[in-house]
Amino acid sequence: MQRIVKHLGHIFRVFEYRPRLAADLLRLSLRHALRNRRRYRGAVVAVALGVAALTAVITLGDTIEELLGRDLELLGSATIVEARWDFDRSLRWHHGSYSLRDEEDLRKLPGVMAVAAVIWKKGERITYKKRNVTARIGAVDESFFRAVALPAAFGRQLNQADYRAKAARCTIGKELAEQLFGSEREAVGKSVLLQYIPFQVVGVLGWNLDPDYEHTMLIPLSLAQGKIRGMNKIRHLRVRAVGWSIVPELASRVQEVLVANQPGYGRGISVFYYKDRLANIENIVILFKTFVYLAILVVIILGGISISNVMAGVVVERTREIGLSLALGATPATIVMQFLFESVTASCLGGLIGIGIGSLAVEVGARLIGAGFDYRVFLLALLASAVLSVLLGLISGVVPAVKASEMDCMQAMRFE
């Protein structure tokens, strides 16, 4: 290590007094790299793949993480923040409710994807012909299915037209469909009675982590507030964040907004999120990103080892050339610089190819996933890839270069 540091010190001193030497060495290194391109091919390809993957992952990493978080949210509603009136506290007598102003203020918060108002009522009787089933009724607004990951297994979800027309339509859970109609497929298109009002079933809800949805009937909020007894006040809001990483901060802001809008009744407002589900998703994403970066690191290291092996072979082949250069007055620092430049040139060629492939991958990837990317992050990724290519070339070539500079002049010239 001391020898390496000593030679690198000589290099910096040479550059200080002979700046044109760098240009000459660069031309010579490029010539040798092109001459030995077959040897360098594997190393250049490895470096190019590593740099391309690094560029794409750094640039699209946040976008992929956000989309991955959204997909994982289907398994656990981890990006949901819920606000309820808590009647178990000292303000139990206060039967508060949320308003349109609360929803509008929450939608203005940064990081909010959707805000949905819900009115729940348990123990309602639903009738189909002679069958009576007790279920939970949920009166939801047009943002509900955007805020809650709840796909339709059969038929469709309630849509905007249903809310605007105050239509007597509903979607029901799987268990409820089987109890009323015998099977989920038979439910779509049939009519059920709720408080003597006929509701047409337009869809059956798909799987959700919350088992309560299996026995739930969802109806338009616009209809429920005028025609269904006991379903006129909104006491439950659901706020969906754009990503799981901002959920704790968003929950605090939701609490602040709702308390400010309900002066004197802040203790009756309960805002919470699913910490366990959020922790599970965080662990999954961290594990996924660690695996990706480790895979990229392995590829880059293999590229560096390939360059080092090629350089060791080049030094052996050019032993007589090295001895002749030393005999003609070349200093050990000049020999070190010559081989380091060749190593860096090979690494940078791979880096340039990788940057080109990575840039193309970023553009294609962004279009495929239907999302944009931050150009500042993209430029930082390009800079990081360029710096990595240079460092990889230096690290891979330093040992062969030092060995070449320490050869004995006479013995090197006699080498066969």
Side-chain angles (χ1 to χ4, degrees):
M1 181 60 69
Q2 292 179 349
R3 290 182 300 165
I4 293 174
V5 173
K6 179 181 177 181
H7 283 294
L8 291 178
H10 289 319
I11 291 173
F12 289 121
R13 283 196 290 273
V14 170
F15 277 128
E16 183 179 355
Y17 296 106
R18 300 178 63 184
R20 290 187 59 185
L21 182 61
D24 295 335
L25 288 174
L26 181 60
R27 285 197 299 271
L28 182 63
S29 301
L30 186 59
R31 189 180 305 164
H32 280 299
L34 292 175
R35 186 178 300 168
N36 296 293
R37 58 185 176 274
R38 290 186 179 179
R39 286 188 171 187
Y40 283 116
R41 184 181 300 165
V44 169
V45 169
V47 174
L49 291 177
V51 168
L54 185 65
T55 302
V57 169
I58 291 177
T59 305
L60 296 177
D62 291 339
T63 303
I64 294 173
E65 181 178 329
E66 179 182 334
L67 294 176
L68 180 63
R70 291 184 191 177
D71 292 338
L72 291 174
E73 191 267 340
L74 291 171
L75 303 177
S77 302
T79 58
I80 295 294
V81 176
E82 296 197 31
R84 299 176 180 174
W85 283 99
D86 190 348
F87 300 125
D88 294 330
R89 300 185 180 181
S90 59
L91 295 180
R92 185 169 183 170
W93 53 269
H94 176 65
H95 299 281
S97 63
Y98 297 116
S99 63
L100 291 177
R101 177 192 171 190
D102 295 320
E103 292 186 62
E104 293 172 359
D105 290 344
L106 292 179
R107 288 191 180 98
K108 296 176 182 177
L109 291 176
V112 172
M113 177 185 293
V115 179
V118 188
I119 302 175
W120 296 112
K121 190 174 184 183
K122 296 182 179 180
E124 281 293 312
R125 188 176 64 177
I126 302 173
T127 303
Y128 174 70
K129 294 183 178 179
K130 295 183 179 180
R131 298 176 186 173
N132 295 312
V133 177
T134 301
R136 181 181 70 160
I137 308 300
V140 299
D141 65 8
E142 57 190 34
S143 301
F144 178 79
F145 287 103
R146 189 161 180 255
V148 179
L150 199 60
F154 298 96
R156 63 173 176 85
Q157 301 168 334
L158 294 175
N159 57 32
Q160 195 174 38
D162 298 327
Y163 303 117
R164 297 287 174 86
K166 299 182 180 181
R169 296 170 186 157
C170 66
T171 55
I172 61 177
K174 291 184 177 181
E175 292 292 333
L176 189 56
E178 291 177 358
Q179 291 174 2
L180 288 171
F181 307 104
S183 69
E184 300 168 26
R185 293 181 180 274
E186 296 295 326
V188 179
K190 302 292 176 52
S191 293
V192 296
L193 291 178
L194 171 63
Q195 293 188 6
Y196 303 102
I197 300 176
F199 282 83
Q200 182 186 14
V201 179
V202 296
V204 178
L205 300 174
W207 182 86
N208 188 274
L209 190 66
D210 188 348
D212 287 339
Y213 282 107
E214 300 289 323
H215 305 274
T216 296
M217 173 179 174
L218 299 178
I219 63 176
L221 179 65
S222 55
L223 171 71
Q225 286 185 312
K227 294 188 176 181
I228 305 298
R229 294 188 305 273
M231 302 190 75
N232 58 336
K233 290 187 177 181
I234 300 172
R235 297 194 176 97
H236 190 169
L237 295 176
R238 288 197 169 191
V239 182
R240 184 175 181 182
V242 295
W244 55 268
S245 59
I246 65 169
V247 169
E249 180 183 355
L250 181 60
S252 299
R253 294 189 175 185
V254 168
Q255 180 83 34
E256 293 173 1
V257 169
L258 295 179
V259 169
N261 288 354
Q262 307 285 343
Y265 302 108
R267 286 187 296 167
I269 296 174
S270 175
V271 176
F272 66 95
Y273 60 95
Y274 300 95
K275 295 182 180 180
D276 293 340
R277 299 175 185 178
L278 190 62
N280 290 336
I281 286 185
E282 286 179 348
N283 293 334
I284 292 172
V285 172
I286 290 172
L287 190 64
F288 173 78
K289 292 176 72 174
T290 301
F291 173 79
V292 170
Y293 280 111
L294 283 177
I296 293 172
L297 182 62
V298 169
V299 173
I300 293 174
I301 290 175
L302 289 176
I305 293 174
S306 299
I307 292 176
S308 183
N309 290 335
V310 172
M311 290 303 302
V314 168
V315 168
V316 173
E317 283 188 358
R318 290 160 56 183
T319 299
R320 297 186 67 183
E321 176 188 329
I322 295 169
L324 182 60
S325 298
L326 292 171
L328 292 175
T331 63
T334 305
I335 299 298
V336 171
M337 283 189 293
Q338 179 180 345
F339 285 95
L340 275 183
F341 263 75
E342 187 170 337
S343 174
V344 171
T345 300
S347 179
C348 288
L349 284 175
L352 288 174
I353 296 172
I355 287 174
I357 296 174
S359 301
L360 181 62
V362 167
E363 291 289 343
V364 174
R367 292 184 181 181
L368 287 177
I369 63 180
F373 58 89
D374 192 335
Y375 280 93
R376 292 174 297 181
V377 176
F378 177 61
L379 293 177
L380 287 175
L382 296 183
L383 179 61
S385 299
V387 172
L388 179 63
S389 300
V390 174
L391 290 177
L392 184 64
L394 287 173
I395 295 171
S396 303
V398 66
V399 173
V402 170
K403 287 184 177 180
S405 69
E406 293 179 342
M407 288 183 181
D408 181 80
C409 175
M410 299 304 296
Q411 290 182 357
M413 293 182 67
R414 294 194 190 103
F415 181 80
E416 293 294 338

